[in-house]
Amino acid sequence: MVTVPVISSYVLQGLPAFVRDELGEKALRRANRAAAVDLELIESRNCFIPQQAVVSFANAIGREAGEENLGLLIAPTMDVSAYGTFGAYVFGADTLGQAIDRSIEALGYHSTGDRLSMTAFADEVRFSYRFALAGTEGHDIVACAAAGELLSLFRAYLPGNWRPLRVELDIEAPRHRSPFEDVFQCPVLFGAPAVALVAERRHLAAGARRPSPSMVTIEDVARDRPGGAPRRLLDIVAEQIRTQVLAGGVMIDDVARSMDTSTRSLQRELHQAGTDFRSLTSAVRIQRATELLQHTNGSITYVSTLLGYSSPSGFARAFKKVTGIAPDEFRRRHRSFNAERD
């Protein structure tokens, strides 16, 4: 299987609600089916989803809206500060230049396959983003949204009346350019090698308009997701299973579709890696079960239903097979240990 680039679900913040408000509930359901996961249920969690799922979601929205420049409607809503500890770390920088450096440094904890870079020449600075699936269908939507993300970083450090020197997009020139220049409030170039924002170099020294009290470090970002965004096949599949569990159900067909592959190909790759989908699903479910039993007061029945088991007894058998003890006994031991420690 080819490498499957993934990205944090934080990039979806507010997008499902936007679709519901603008296009309706049915359109959101169809877009979720296209992505093979209910994205609204995971947008505020630090899950890593295949970039293809994001593109499929965007494509479905575009079809529902019949909007030629859907990306321009999304761009103003994009805000890197909403991206969990990654966003907090970036916006905790004292200056714009430091914030850009931080975004480049921490990108591996946010996505795989993407590239951020900054180049300075003469009196200008270019902050560029290269999407892992650039050139695929739907990239025009993603490119505009990415430009909105870059702008959100600059606008956190520069006056309200600031405008970029230009925005560069790695998409074909549209029939009408004026809507792009209206949204980005500057000249827009097309056919660029990457999405980029070009500004005056002197702005790199600008301090935050609203200094952040955040004390988030790169180590905090790393702790939030040890090892960064998943890269190995088994880790990526396990992450998609975790995402499906959080969204309420697990189906191999949906996991395969979100990764832009066939069910048979996914099964073959897992077999070659020495495992199978059922085993991985069981491991992910039991791991989530231990978390819920330790840190919530939900009943065993509720936890069982939440994790997609057909019955509490089936959950108990699966849990005991992995951990050696029943769920209620696991919870009692954990609480007893905590009480003794306190």
Side-chain angles (χ1 to χ4, degrees), residues 243-257:
T243 298
Q244 298 279 351
V245 167
L246 292 174
V250 182
M251 295 182 62
I252 188 172
D253 292 347
D254 287 341
V255 171
R257 187 152 48 90

mmCIF file with all atom_site columns, all heavy atoms in Angstrom, residues 243-257:
data_model
loop_
_atom_site.group_PDB
_atom_site.id
_atom_site.type_symbol
_atom_site.label_atom_id
_atom_site.label_alt_id
_atom_site.label_comp_id
_atom_site.label_asym_id
_atom_site.label_entity_id
_atom_site.label_seq_id
_atom_site.pdbx_PDB_ins_code
_atom_site.Cartn_x
_atom_site.Cartn_y
_atom_site.Cartn_z
_atom_site.occupancy
_atom_site.B_iso_or_equiv
_atom_site.pdbx_formal_charge
_atom_site.auth_seq_id
_atom_site.auth_comp_id
_atom_site.auth_asym_id
_atom_site.auth_atom_id
_atom_site.pdbx_PDB_model_num
ATOM 1   N N   . THR A 1 243 ? -10.913 6.361  15.401 1.00 0.00 ? 243 THR A N   1
ATOM 2   C CA  . THR A 1 243 ? -11.818 7.420  14.962 1.00 0.00 ? 243 THR A CA  1
ATOM 3   C C   . THR A 1 243 ? -13.226 6.878  14.768 1.00 0.00 ? 243 THR A C   1
ATOM 4   O O   . THR A 1 243 ? -14.204 7.518  15.177 1.00 0.00 ? 243 THR A O   1
ATOM 5   C CB  . THR A 1 243 ? -11.302 8.018  13.637 1.00 0.00 ? 243 THR A CB  1
ATOM 6   O OG1 . THR A 1 243 ? -10.014 8.598  13.846 1.00 0.00 ? 243 THR A OG1 1
ATOM 7   C CG2 . THR A 1 243 ? -12.247 9.084  13.116 1.00 0.00 ? 243 THR A CG2 1
ATOM 8   N N   . GLN A 1 244 ? -13.340 5.689  14.169 1.00 0.00 ? 244 GLN A N   1
ATOM 9   C CA  . GLN A 1 244 ? -14.650 5.083  13.968 1.00 0.00 ? 244 GLN A CA  1
ATOM 10  C C   . GLN A 1 244 ? -15.306 4.731  15.298 1.00 0.00 ? 244 GLN A C   1
ATOM 11  O O   . GLN A 1 244 ? -16.516 4.898  15.474 1.00 0.00 ? 244 GLN A O   1
ATOM 12  C CB  . GLN A 1 244 ? -14.511 3.826  13.109 1.00 0.00 ? 244 GLN A CB  1
ATOM 13  C CG  . GLN A 1 244 ? -13.969 4.043  11.707 1.00 0.00 ? 244 GLN A CG  1
ATOM 14  C CD  . GLN A 1 244 ? -15.024 4.529  10.733 1.00 0.00 ? 244 GLN A CD  1
ATOM 15  O OE1 . GLN A 1 244 ? -16.198 4.558  11.042 1.00 0.00 ? 244 GLN A OE1 1
ATOM 16  N NE2 . GLN A 1 244 ? -14.588 4.932  9.548  1.00 0.00 ? 244 GLN A NE2 1
ATOM 17  N N   . VAL A 1 245 ? -14.510 4.254  16.252 1.00 0.00 ? 245 VAL A N   1
ATOM 18  C CA  . VAL A 1 245 ? -15.037 3.930  17.581 1.00 0.00 ? 245 VAL A CA  1
ATOM 19  C C   . VAL A 1 245 ? -15.597 5.188  18.241 1.00 0.00 ? 245 VAL A C   1
ATOM 20  O O   . VAL A 1 245 ? -16.698 5.184  18.812 1.00 0.00 ? 245 VAL A O   1
ATOM 21  C CB  . VAL A 1 245 ? -13.945 3.291  18.463 1.00 0.00 ? 245 VAL A CB  1
ATOM 22  C CG1 . VAL A 1 245 ? -14.376 3.256  19.926 1.00 0.00 ? 245 VAL A CG1 1
ATOM 23  C CG2 . VAL A 1 245 ? -13.634 1.879  17.979 1.00 0.00 ? 245 VAL A CG2 1
ATOM 24  N N   . LEU A 1 246 ? -14.857 6.278  18.173 1.00 0.00 ? 246 LEU A N   1
ATOM 25  C CA  . LEU A 1 246 ? -15.317 7.533  18.767 1.00 0.00 ? 246 LEU A CA  1
ATOM 26  C C   . LEU A 1 246 ? -16.579 8.039  18.093 1.00 0.00 ? 246 LEU A C   1
ATOM 27  O O   . LEU A 1 246 ? -17.408 8.705  18.720 1.00 0.00 ? 246 LEU A O   1
ATOM 28  C CB  . LEU A 1 246 ? -14.213 8.591  18.663 1.00 0.00 ? 246 LEU A CB  1
ATOM 29  C CG  . LEU A 1 246 ? -12.958 8.350  19.505 1.00 0.00 ? 246 LEU A CG  1
ATOM 30  C CD1 . LEU A 1 246 ? -11.895 9.404  19.195 1.00 0.00 ? 246 LEU A CD1 1
ATOM 31  C CD2 . LEU A 1 246 ? -13.298 8.357  20.992 1.00 0.00 ? 246 LEU A CD2 1
ATOM 32  N N   . ALA A 1 247 ? -16.723 7.711  16.801 1.00 0.00 ? 247 ALA A N   1
ATOM 33  C CA  . ALA A 1 247 ? -17.890 8.179  16.050 1.00 0.00 ? 247 ALA A CA  1
ATOM 34  C C   . ALA A 1 247 ? -19.074 7.226  16.169 1.00 0.00 ? 247 ALA A C   1
ATOM 35  O O   . ALA A 1 247 ? -20.145 7.523  15.651 1.00 0.00 ? 247 ALA A O   1
ATOM 36  C CB  . ALA A 1 247 ? -17.524 8.369  14.577 1.00 0.00 ? 247 ALA A CB  1
ATOM 37  N N   . GLY A 1 248 ? -18.869 6.077  16.831 1.00 0.00 ? 248 GLY A N   1
ATOM 38  C CA  . GLY A 1 248 ? -20.014 5.232  17.133 1.00 0.00 ? 248 GLY A CA  1
ATOM 39  C C   . GLY A 1 248 ? -20.087 3.884  16.459 1.00 0.00 ? 248 GLY A C   1
ATOM 40  O O   . GLY A 1 248 ? -21.018 3.120  16.724 1.00 0.00 ? 248 GLY A O   1
ATOM 41  N N   . GLY A 1 249 ? -19.168 3.530  15.600 1.00 0.00 ? 249 GLY A N   1
ATOM 42  C CA  . GLY A 1 249 ? -19.227 2.220  14.961 1.00 0.00 ? 249 GLY A CA  1
ATOM 43  C C   . GLY A 1 249 ? -18.028 1.988  14.068 1.00 0.00 ? 249 GLY A C   1
ATOM 44  O O   . GLY A 1 249 ? -17.451 2.933  13.554 1.00 0.00 ? 249 GLY A O   1
ATOM 45  N N   . VAL A 1 250 ? -17.679 0.700  13.882 1.00 0.00 ? 250 VAL A N   1
ATOM 46  C CA  . VAL A 1 250 ? -16.494 0.360  13.095 1.00 0.00 ? 250 VAL A CA  1
ATOM 47  C C   . VAL A 1 250 ? -16.876 -0.582 11.959 1.00 0.00 ? 250 VAL A C   1
ATOM 48  O O   . VAL A 1 250 ? -17.491 -1.623 12.197 1.00 0.00 ? 250 VAL A O   1
ATOM 49  C CB  . VAL A 1 250 ? -15.411 -0.309 13.967 1.00 0.00 ? 250 VAL A CB  1
ATOM 50  C CG1 . VAL A 1 250 ? -14.167 -0.599 13.136 1.00 0.00 ? 250 VAL A CG1 1
ATOM 51  C CG2 . VAL A 1 250 ? -15.062 0.570  15.150 1.00 0.00 ? 250 VAL A CG2 1
ATOM 52  N N   . MET A 1 251 ? -16.515 -0.208 10.740 1.00 0.00 ? 251 MET A N   1
ATOM 53  C CA  . MET A 1 251 ? -16.730 -1.062 9.576  1.00 0.00 ? 251 MET A CA  1
ATOM 54  C C   . MET A 1 251 ? -15.481 -1.017 8.712  1.00 0.00 ? 251 MET A C   1
ATOM 55  O O   . MET A 1 251 ? -14.972 0.067  8.408  1.00 0.00 ? 251 MET A O   1
ATOM 56  C CB  . MET A 1 251 ? -17.943 -0.593 8.766  1.00 0.00 ? 251 MET A CB  1
ATOM 57  C CG  . MET A 1 251 ? -19.273 -0.720 9.496  1.00 0.00 ? 251 MET A CG  1
ATOM 58  S SD  . MET A 1 251 ? -20.663 -0.196 8.464  1.00 0.00 ? 251 MET A SD  1
ATOM 59  C CE  . MET A 1 251 ? -20.538 -1.402 7.126  1.00 0.00 ? 251 MET A CE  1
ATOM 60  N N   . ILE A 1 252 ? -14.986 -2.178 8.340  1.00 0.00 ? 252 ILE A N   1
ATOM 61  C CA  . ILE A 1 252 ? -13.771 -2.230 7.546  1.00 0.00 ? 252 ILE A CA  1
ATOM 62  C C   . ILE A 1 252 ? -13.951 -1.530 6.203  1.00 0.00 ? 252 ILE A C   1
ATOM 63  O O   . ILE A 1 252 ? -13.025 -0.898 5.692  1.00 0.00 ? 252 ILE A O   1
ATOM 64  C CB  . ILE A 1 252 ? -13.298 -3.688 7.339  1.00 0.00 ? 252 ILE A CB  1
ATOM 65  C CG1 . ILE A 1 252 ? -11.918 -3.691 6.668  1.00 0.00 ? 252 ILE A CG1 1
ATOM 66  C CG2 . ILE A 1 252 ? -14.321 -4.504 6.574  1.00 0.00 ? 252 ILE A CG2 1
ATOM 67  C CD1 . ILE A 1 252 ? -11.278 -5.063 6.589  1.00 0.00 ? 252 ILE A CD1 1
ATOM 68  N N   . ASP A 1 253 ? -15.151 -1.599 5.634  1.00 0.00 ? 253 ASP A N   1
ATOM 69  C CA  . ASP A 1 253 ? -15.383 -0.930 4.351  1.00 0.00 ? 253 ASP A CA  1
ATOM 70  C C   . ASP A 1 253 ? -15.180 0.574  4.473  1.00 0.00 ? 253 ASP A C   1
ATOM 71  O O   . ASP A 1 253 ? -14.608 1.215  3.585  1.00 0.00 ? 253 ASP A O   1
ATOM 72  C CB  . ASP A 1 253 ? -16.801 -1.214 3.847  1.00 0.00 ? 253 ASP A CB  1
ATOM 73  C CG  . ASP A 1 253 ? -17.002 -2.670 3.448  1.00 0.00 ? 253 ASP A CG  1
ATOM 74  O OD1 . ASP A 1 253 ? -15.985 -3.386 3.335  1.00 0.00 ? 253 ASP A OD1 1
ATOM 75  O OD2 . ASP A 1 253 ? -18.153 -3.092 3.275  1.00 0.00 ? 253 ASP A OD2 1
ATOM 76  N N   . ASP A 1 254 ? -15.664 1.150  5.594  1.00 0.00 ? 254 ASP A N   1
ATOM 77  C CA  . ASP A 1 254 ? -15.511 2.590  5.803  1.00 0.00 ? 254 ASP A CA  1
ATOM 78  C C   . ASP A 1 254 ? -14.053 2.968  6.027  1.00 0.00 ? 254 ASP A C   1
ATOM 79  O O   . ASP A 1 254 ? -13.575 3.987  5.522  1.00 0.00 ? 254 ASP A O   1
ATOM 80  C CB  . ASP A 1 254 ? -16.354 3.055  7.002  1.00 0.00 ? 254 ASP A CB  1
ATOM 81  C CG  . ASP A 1 254 ? -17.841 3.085  6.689  1.00 0.00 ? 254 ASP A CG  1
ATOM 82  O OD1 . ASP A 1 254 ? -18.186 3.096  5.491  1.00 0.00 ? 254 ASP A OD1 1
ATOM 83  O OD2 . ASP A 1 254 ? -18.641 3.105  7.633  1.00 0.00 ? 254 ASP A OD2 1
ATOM 84  N N   . VAL A 1 255 ? -13.343 2.149  6.805  1.00 0.00 ? 255 VAL A N   1
ATOM 85  C CA  . VAL A 1 255 ? -11.927 2.430  7.047  1.00 0.00 ? 255 VAL A CA  1
ATOM 86  C C   . VAL A 1 255 ? -11.154 2.377  5.742  1.00 0.00 ? 255 VAL A C   1
ATOM 87  O O   . VAL A 1 255 ? -10.326 3.246  5.444  1.00 0.00 ? 255 VAL A O   1
ATOM 88  C CB  . VAL A 1 255 ? -11.344 1.447  8.081  1.00 0.00 ? 255 VAL A CB  1
ATOM 89  C CG1 . VAL A 1 255 ? -9.826  1.597  8.166  1.00 0.00 ? 255 VAL A CG1 1
ATOM 90  C CG2 . VAL A 1 255 ? -11.971 1.673  9.458  1.00 0.00 ? 255 VAL A CG2 1
ATOM 91  N N   . ALA A 1 256 ? -11.421 1.355  4.932  1.00 0.00 ? 256 ALA A N   1
ATOM 92  C CA  . ALA A 1 256 ? -10.723 1.224  3.648  1.00 0.00 ? 256 ALA A CA  1
ATOM 93  C C   . ALA A 1 256 ? -11.039 2.416  2.749  1.00 0.00 ? 256 ALA A C   1
ATOM 94  O O   . ALA A 1 256 ? -10.138 2.987  2.110  1.00 0.00 ? 256 ALA A O   1
ATOM 95  C CB  . ALA A 1 256 ? -11.132 -0.075 2.961  1.00 0.00 ? 256 ALA A CB  1
ATOM 96  N N   . ARG A 1 257 ? -12.315 2.809  2.701  1.00 0.00 ? 257 ARG A N   1
ATOM 97  C CA  . ARG A 1 257 ? -12.701 3.914  1.815  1.00 0.00 ? 257 ARG A CA  1
ATOM 98  C C   . ARG A 1 257 ? -12.065 5.219  2.272  1.00 0.00 ? 257 ARG A C   1
ATOM 99  O O   . ARG A 1 257 ? -11.645 6.035  1.453  1.00 0.00 ? 257 ARG A O   1
ATOM 100 C CB  . ARG A 1 257 ? -14.228 4.038  1.798  1.00 0.00 ? 257 ARG A CB  1
ATOM 101 C CG  . ARG A 1 257 ? -14.780 5.034  0.800  1.00 0.00 ? 257 ARG A CG  1
ATOM 102 C CD  . ARG A 1 257 ? -16.173 4.610  0.367  1.00 0.00 ? 257 ARG A CD  1
ATOM 103 N NE  . ARG A 1 257 ? -17.018 4.274  1.502  1.00 0.00 ? 257 ARG A NE  1
ATOM 104 C CZ  . ARG A 1 257 ? -17.790 5.165  2.139  1.00 0.00 ? 257 ARG A CZ  1
ATOM 105 N NH1 . ARG A 1 257 ? -17.795 6.425  1.756  1.00 0.00 ? 257 ARG A NH1 1
ATOM 106 N NH2 . ARG A 1 257 ? -18.560 4.783  3.136  1.00 0.00 ? 257 ARG A NH2 1
#
